[in-house]
Structures are given as C-alpha cells and as structure tokens.
Amino acid sequence: MAASLPRRLLLLSLVLSLAVAAAAKISGPRTPISRDIYHSSDSLLREIEVLVARHSDKLSMDTVRASNRGYSAELSVVTFNPVKESVDNGSKVHILLSFGQHGRELITSEVALRLLYILTEKRKIAGVDLSSFEKVLENLVIKVVPMENLNGRKRVEEGELCDRRNGREVDLNRNWSVDWGKKEKDYDPYEENPGIAPFSEPEAQIMRELSKSFKPHIWVNVHSGMEALFMPYDHKNTTPNGASAHLMRSVLENLNHRHFQDSCLVGSGGGSVGYLAHGTTTDYMYDIAKVPMPFTFEIYGDEKASPDDCFKMFNPVDKTTFDRVINKWCMAFLILFEEGLRNLRDAQIVSQGALDNWVPIGGDIVERNVERKSVRERRKLEGLDLGMQELRTYFRLFMLSTFLLMFMFCTRISKNRNRDSGNVFDP
C-alpha cells in the first residue's frame, strides 16, 4: 500500500502533464506582433507629426489630455481641411474618424496613417488615380483620431496581446451613456468592463467633447475582428426608423456594392454581429449627439485563428495581406466620403456647395447637381400645378355655395313679400 503511493503520485503527475500539453496544443501558439510590418505606437504618432509639419496648409494636429481619479489619457487629433474659410457657410461636410479604440486592433491605426498620406501626398491606391477626387475633398473637413486608446495600445505592446481595454482596464466602447451598464447573459467582465459610470474614462470624455465641438455629419468607429459595415443600434436588435435610417442604409449598401461587391455584412451591430453591446460610442453618436450618419466599420478578421491567438485574429500577419487590407479600406473611406457628401446634400442636411460635376472613383463624369436641379424644378412645377388645381376647386365650391346662398336669400325675400301683400288685401 505504502509502495503504491509514489506510483499513484507519478501517474497523477503524468496525467497532469499530458493535460497541460493537450491544452497547449489545442490553444496553439500565440503569434507575436509583426514588428517589421507594424509601427509602434510612438513611431506611428511621430510619423504623423512629421506629415502634419510637411503639409501645414492642409493638416493640423492637436494633443488633448484629460484625467479622472488619478488616471490620465492623451489623444492626438489630426484635422484635414484643404480649403480653409474664415466663415463656415454650412456647405462642408464634417467627418470624424476614430481608430484604435481597442488596443489589440493595431491594423486600424495603420489604416489611419495611410489614409492621411493619401489625403496629402500619395494620390494613388493600388494603381487607381485619385486626382479626380480633389473636388470632393474640397467640400470636407475630416478629423482623424489615429489612436484613441494609447494607454491600452501600450499594454498590448508590452505583451498583453488580447487586451482591448484602456490603461484602467475599462472597455472604452462600453463607457458611453446609451444603455450603459446593462449586462447580457454572456457578459465577460474582462472584455466588457463598462467602468464605474458613463464617461468615467478620460478617453471617452475627450471624444464626447470633440463630438460636441466639431458636430460631425459622419462618424466612423473603426475596429477589427470581422469585415462589416454597421449602423446603429448596438444595444438592440434593430435599426432606427424613418428617413435617417434609410439614408444610412443607402450609403452603406452603395459602398458595399461599389467597392466590396456586396461581400460585407451590412446592418445594425446588435442585429448582425451575434451579440448586443451596451454603452457604445456609435449609439451615443446617433441618439444623443444626433450625428446623421454614425457607423462602425470592422475591417479585418481571421476566423481560423485560435481565440487565444489575438494578434492573428484581429490583424494581418503578413505584408501582402497587410497592404491589401490597408489599400482596400482606404479606398472604402474615399468612397464613403463621396457617397456621404452626395446623400447629405440630396437630403438637404448640408447646404449645396460648388460641386456641379465630379468624376466618381471608377466612373464617368456625372452632372449630379444638374440632375438634382431638374428634379427639384420638376417637383416645384408639379406642386404649383397641384396647388392651382386645388385653388380652382375651392373657387368652384365657393361660387356654388355663394349661388345657393343667394338663391335661398332671394327665395326668402320673395316669400316675405308675398306674405306682406296678402296681409294688406285680406278682409
């Protein structure tokens, strides 16, 4: 009996070793950051600073800081405004783009960097000439937050490759006020910590103030994990009602058809992604900030990656895929700018500017304003004609009622006269 105890301990030790080995085999190796492809957070922001200094006529950069309960955050905000005006005449479309809200999604900040290069220097994407797009850019003011969650990104660079939270372990995309704090049955406190209160985190406070001061017409929160084009809502399985929902869906479906050949998932985040998310930025932008077109773009995901292999799941790991994803989504943003500008003006959410003709990316010259003017004039004429018809109808009714009243009045007078005459000659 005593001799069998060491044997049992040895057997138990062997079983545990095999279990650990099996678990390691199931989870698979964790892919490290491809540092030969990806910038570090510091080098990416430095490169943007140099780009801004080189194109100070088009770009400017602000650094915004905030703190709360001993925790501080710093955000860089880059503004692209190619045609500066002393007075905003209301014709320019304001676009606010946020990248890197989750620290582990490095690819999103790389798209931000490349997009800024395209807006200022590199006028081609994969051989496509973008010079004809200048006319569209003149009608836009674009603010880019290249790395919203700098503190969280630092944690990832230090080895926490699966961490999406900020430096205080709060999910910034659960820290906004719309339906804040609600927890689903599959709630993961590690992944979805909403913080102690709405806007408890400095990063969310900065973004909220930026949305208030800039008043964007288009908002895009850029993430990775899959490929999708989402509109509100995230916290319920539905989209908004009315004209605004139609406008958002129209823009996304046109983008999906023109650029992605209808391959992207389009719809509400809550209805499409498979789970509900509460306290998200995009829902706040729609419900509270009243942004006409708030979107969430998911730009990449490796479905075959192990759940523990987060860098590979959320980011391309080879240079070919890296370049393809960046080029594809930079082009998607340019088409979004074009579609958004056209739809916002058609809906008269922004005033008409000097955009009579331009060449859509990959298309021929379209005289959009001429078409819109002719449609508007035709509608005005139709409305005027309908109004005249109604006036003629009312006039006929008025004349008929006047005739009937006069007839009744004359009949009454005639009867009274006859009655009066009868009274005179009666005995």
Side-chain angles (χ1 to χ4, degrees):
M1 183 93 177
S4 64
L5 185 59
R7 251 184 240 151
R8 289 179 182 176
L9 290 174
L10 181 62
L11 182 61
L12 180 60
S13 175
L14 181 61
V15 169
L16 288 173
S17 298
L18 289 173
V20 169
K25 187 174 182 180
I26 292 172
S27 63
R30 293 189 176 188
T31 305
I33 297 174
S34 305
R35 299 186 186 272
D36 57 330
I37 301 176
Y38 289 85
H39 294 78
S40 68
S41 55
D42 291 338
S43 66
L44 188 141
L45 293 174
R46 278 198 304 269
E47 190 165 334
I48 290 176
E49 288 179 7
V50 172
L51 182 66
V52 169
R54 197 159 58 238
H55 296 281
S56 58
D57 58 324
K58 297 179 180 179
L59 296 177
S60 61
M61 185 171 180
D62 297 298
T63 301
V64 188
R65 299 176 181 87
S67 61
N68 184 27
R69 295 175 178 265
Y71 172 74
S72 300
E74 179 179 296
L75 269 68
S76 297
V77 183
V78 182
T79 302
F80 171 78
N81 189 5
V83 181
K84 295 179 175 61
E85 299 171 351
S86 57
V87 178
D88 188 354
N89 61 11
S91 65
K92 286 196 172 186
V93 170
H94 289 192
I95 300 173
L96 179 56
L97 310 176
S98 175
F99 302 82
Q101 189 181 48
H102 288 154
R104 65 192 179 191
E105 299 165 10
L106 282 69
I107 185 62
T108 64
S109 295
E110 298 289 342
V111 171
L113 174 62
R114 185 72 63 86
L115 182 62
L116 289 171
Y117 269 114
I118 290 168
L119 292 174
T120 52
E121 291 184 354
K122 299 178 179 178
R123 285 292 187 246
K124 288 187 176 181
I125 302 178
V128 178
D129 187 3
L130 304 175
S131 58
S132 62
F133 196 67
E134 294 288 344
K135 196 72 174 176
V136 173
L137 294 180
E138 291 174 3
N139 292 269
L140 308 177
V141 180
I142 305 169
K143 285 190 181 291
V144 176
V145 180
M147 200 174 296
E148 181 182 330
N149 185 7
L150 177 59
N151 293 337
R153 170 66 179 264
K154 295 285 189 183
R155 291 168 61 94
V156 172
E157 291 174 346
E158 291 167 0
E160 298 290 333
L161 297 180
C162 287
D163 206 339
R164 61 189 246 160
R165 305 165 299 172
N166 72 346
R168 194 154 55 180
E169 300 184 350
V170 173
D171 183 350
L172 295 177
N173 206 28
R174 301 293 185 274
N175 192 233
W176 294 67
S177 59
V178 174
D179 215 40
W180 175 86
K182 185 175 180 180
K183 298 175 176 62
E184 297 293 323
K185 292 180 180 179
D186 58 351
Y187 168 73
D188 183 346
Y190 178 85
E191 287 272 305
E192 299 182 273
N193 176 15
I196 60 173
F199 302 109
S200 61
E201 303 312 295
E203 297 93 340
Q205 294 171 10
I206 294 171
M207 292 302 300
R208 177 182 59 179
E209 293 307 310
L210 180 58
S211 70
K212 287 181 179 179
S213 61
F214 184 51
K215 295 180 174 59
H217 301 100
I218 299 173
W219 150 265
V220 187
N221 197 3
V222 186
H223 287 273
S224 62
M226 61 190 303
E227 281 202 347
L229 305 168
F230 290 143
M231 57 189 283
Y233 287 104
D234 296 323
H235 71 280
K236 52 187 175 182
N237 185 8
T238 185
T239 57
N241 297 318
S244 62
H246 176 75
L247 192 67
M248 286 186 284
R249 185 174 288 278
S250 174
V251 168
L252 292 185
E253 288 180 348
N254 287 346
L255 172 58
N256 191 30
H257 181 70
R258 285 180 61 183
H259 185 55
F260 296 102
Q261 292 75 51
D262 299 315
S263 64
C264 267
L265 191 62
V266 174
S268 72
S272 305
V273 78
Y275 61 87
L276 300 181
H278 307 275
T280 67
T281 315
T282 295
D283 283 359
Y284 175 92
M285 291 294 181
Y286 183 75
D287 267 1
I288 308 300
K290 305 301 181 185
V291 176
M293 293 186 186
F295 302 125
T296 300
F297 286 2
E298 296 274 353
I299 66 171
Y300 176 81
D302 186 344
E303 297 177 356
K304 297 179 181 178
S306 163
D308 295 326
D309 193 4
C310 291
F311 181 75
K312 186 177 182 182
M313 177 180 289
F314 294 97
N315 306 278
V317 297
D318 63 90
K319 187 68 166 63
T320 301
T321 309
F322 175 90
D323 288 336
R324 177 178 56 79
V325 170
I326 287 181
N327 287 334
K328 178 169 68 173
W329 283 94
C330 283
M331 180 68 83
F333 276 110
L334 295 181
I335 295 174
L336 171 70
F337 300 161
E338 183 182 88
E339 288 285 342
L341 176 62
R342 177 169 60 84
N343 280 271
L344 286 166
R345 286 186 170 171
D346 284 351
Q348 299 182 350
I349 294 174
V350 294
S351 62
Q352 298 294 330
L355 195 63
D356 292 335
N357 304 317
W358 82 87
V359 182
I361 300 171
D364 298 325
I365 293 177
V366 178
E367 298 183 356
R368 297 189 185 275
N369 270 0
V370 174
E371 292 176 356
R372 286 199 295 270
K373 287 176 185 175
S374 63
V375 170
R376 285 198 298 270
E377 292 299 327
R378 187 165 61 250
R379 287 175 179 171
K380 285 179 181 178
L381 290 173
E382 290 172 353
L384 182 61
D385 183 56
L386 181 61
M388 290 302 295
Q389 289 179 20
E390 290 178 349
L391 284 173
R392 284 194 290 267
T393 301
Y394 292 145
F395 182 73
R396 291 189 187 108
L397 289 172
F398 172 76
M399 292 301 294
L400 179 61
S401 61
T402 302
F403 174 78
L404 289 171
L405 286 171
M406 289 297 293
F407 176 77
M408 292 171 65
F409 181 71
C410 291
T411 303
R412 184 72 175 259
I413 290 176
S414 176
K415 286 182 178 179
N416 288 339
R417 283 180 178 174
N418 289 335
R419 190 180 300 118
D420 292 341
S421 298
N423 290 337
V424 171
F425 291 103
D426 278 352

